[in-house]
Amino acid sequence: MEKSAKYKLFNSKLTAVISVAMVLVLLGITTMVLLMSKNLTDHVRENFIFKLTLKEGLSDKKISDLGDLLNEKSYIKAATFVSKDDAVKAFAEQLGEDPMESLNVNPLPNTFDVSLKAAHLAKDSLEKIEADLKALPEISEVDYPHDLVDEFTNNVKKVTAVFLLLAVVLLVISFALINNTIRLLIYSDRFLIHTMKQVGATRSFIRKPYMKQGFVIGVVSSLIAIAALFVILFCMGDMSEELELYLDTHNTSLCAVTFGVVLAAGIIITELSTYFAVNKYLGRSLNSLYLI
């Protein structure tokens, strides 16, 4: 009989650990998707090309100094010089024929192709950056796809809002599922809790072992979930390098944040659920316990 009771207790705790771990895996996957989507949008943002047209007659030294100045600016990720000769060669490849066969002078200007850091592609920032670049005496024109950048920024805001809403909904669902699991685990001890209360045990004394149990379940479930997520990331690491660039599976900060969220959520939710579940039975009369 004693072995049977111990087996049932172990089995119920094991079931609780597995149930909580499964919910935490889903929460971890959602966190990874949110972080990876940010990496993807940042990658796209940093591939918008800003073309800076240079004034005619600049010496090689002035062009070189300008390149150094551009690369030193905090909002610029990279600045690449494109000579008029390189520009006409690229144009000839796109056109399929060499325009210089019918022209005596190369009409294309020297330019710098500039990509900005993702954090600086907000509309207000772009206006300031454009004004700052136009103020440079060597630059005659700043050109970039205004409409495309604005449309992309607006779409990112909408998608981000949807993802955050889904994340909040999932967090609420995760709390509800874990809360129900913990409540079912403590349900079998409701008469024991009432007996301890009747013999004079304080609420904190009664609650303490259950809080400890909740902490252990939270930690063990989180570690299981983290191990599962690690396996998922390891399997994703076998993908092609091009796809991995967008997913960034080997990003240590991504892994650290995801695992941290899973661990924190596992402990906090199980502790809160345990606290509320024990308090529920502490406030019940003996007769009401039969009706639950």
Side-chain angles (χ1 to χ4, degrees):
M1 191 73 177
E2 184 180 350
K3 289 183 178 179
S4 177
K6 287 184 178 179
Y7 173 76
K8 288 181 179 179
L9 180 62
F10 174 77
N11 189 46
S12 61
K13 288 183 178 179
L14 180 62
T15 302
V17 167
I18 294 173
S19 300
V20 173
M22 291 175 65
V23 176
L24 292 177
V25 168
L26 185 59
L27 184 62
I29 291 174
T30 304
T31 304
M32 282 196 297
V33 170
L34 283 172
L35 295 175
M36 289 178 178
S37 64
K38 183 182 183 303
N39 291 337
L40 175 58
T41 55
D42 286 351
H43 179 77
V44 175
R45 286 171 185 268
E46 291 176 351
N47 274 273
F48 284 117
I49 298 300
F50 290 66
K51 193 169 287 293
L52 313 182
T53 302
L54 305 186
K55 293 179 180 178
E56 292 292 336
L58 293 178
S59 64
D60 292 342
K61 186 177 186 310
K62 283 190 174 182
I63 293 175
S64 177
D65 291 342
L66 176 61
D68 294 337
L69 175 64
L70 291 174
N71 282 305
E72 288 175 359
K73 288 187 176 293
S74 60
Y75 53 80
I76 291 180
K77 182 185 178 183
T80 305
F81 175 66
V82 180
S83 68
K84 56 173 61 181
D85 293 333
D86 292 335
V88 79
K89 288 178 183 177
F91 185 69
E93 290 179 1
Q94 294 177 357
L95 192 63
E97 59 180 271
D98 188 358
M100 293 305 296
E101 293 180 356
S102 57
L103 296 174
N104 295 325
V105 180
N106 185 349
L108 299 179
N110 293 321
T111 61
F112 271 97
D113 285 350
V114 172
S115 59
L116 304 185
K117 294 178 181 177
H120 296 277
L121 260 79
K123 187 174 182 180
D124 294 341
S125 298
L126 287 176
E127 291 175 354
K128 293 178 181 178
I129 290 171
E130 186 175 3
D132 182 47
L133 293 174
K134 283 183 177 179
L136 296 175
E138 297 87 355
I139 296 175
S140 62
E141 186 179 353
V142 177
D143 184 43
Y144 68 94
H146 295 73
D147 294 338
L148 185 59
V149 172
D150 291 342
E151 183 179 356
F152 178 78
T153 302
N154 292 332
N155 289 337
V156 166
K157 288 181 180 178
K158 293 177 183 177
V159 172
T160 302
V162 171
F163 269 117
L164 289 176
L165 179 61
L166 289 175
V168 171
V169 171
L170 179 61
L171 186 61
V172 172
I173 294 173
S174 300
F175 181 84
L177 291 174
I178 294 175
N179 183 56
N180 287 336
T181 301
I182 298 299
R183 286 178 61 185
L184 288 173
L185 182 63
I186 298 175
Y187 173 79
S188 59
D189 284 352
R190 66 192 188 283
F191 290 109
L192 176 61
I193 292 173
H194 180 76
T195 301
M196 293 172 69
K197 185 176 68 172
Q198 290 298 104
V199 298
T202 62
R203 284 175 170 257
S204 59
F205 179 83
I206 298 171
R207 196 184 296 119
K208 186 176 180 180
Y210 293 101
M211 295 297 291
K212 182 179 179 181
Q213 173 184 271
F215 179 81
V216 172
I217 290 174
V219 171
V220 174
S221 300
S222 298
L223 293 177
I224 293 174
I226 288 172
L229 292 170
F230 184 81
V231 171
I232 292 172
L233 286 172
F234 179 79
C235 294
M236 291 170 65
D238 293 333
M239 293 183 294
S240 65
E241 291 184 2
E242 183 177 353
L243 187 58
E244 189 176 308
L245 173 65
Y246 297 102
L247 295 179
D248 202 8
T249 57
H250 297 302
N251 188 329
T252 53
S253 62
L254 181 146
C255 295
V257 172
T258 301
F259 297 162
V261 168
V262 170
L263 182 60
I267 294 174
I268 293 172
I269 295 176
T270 51
E271 286 288 84
L272 286 175
S273 300
T274 301
Y275 181 86
F276 290 130
V278 175
N279 278 359
K280 175 184 176 182
Y281 297 121
L282 282 173
R284 295 276 185 169
S285 63
L286 179 60
N287 291 334
S288 66
L289 294 178
Y290 288 100
L291 301 177
I292 297 176

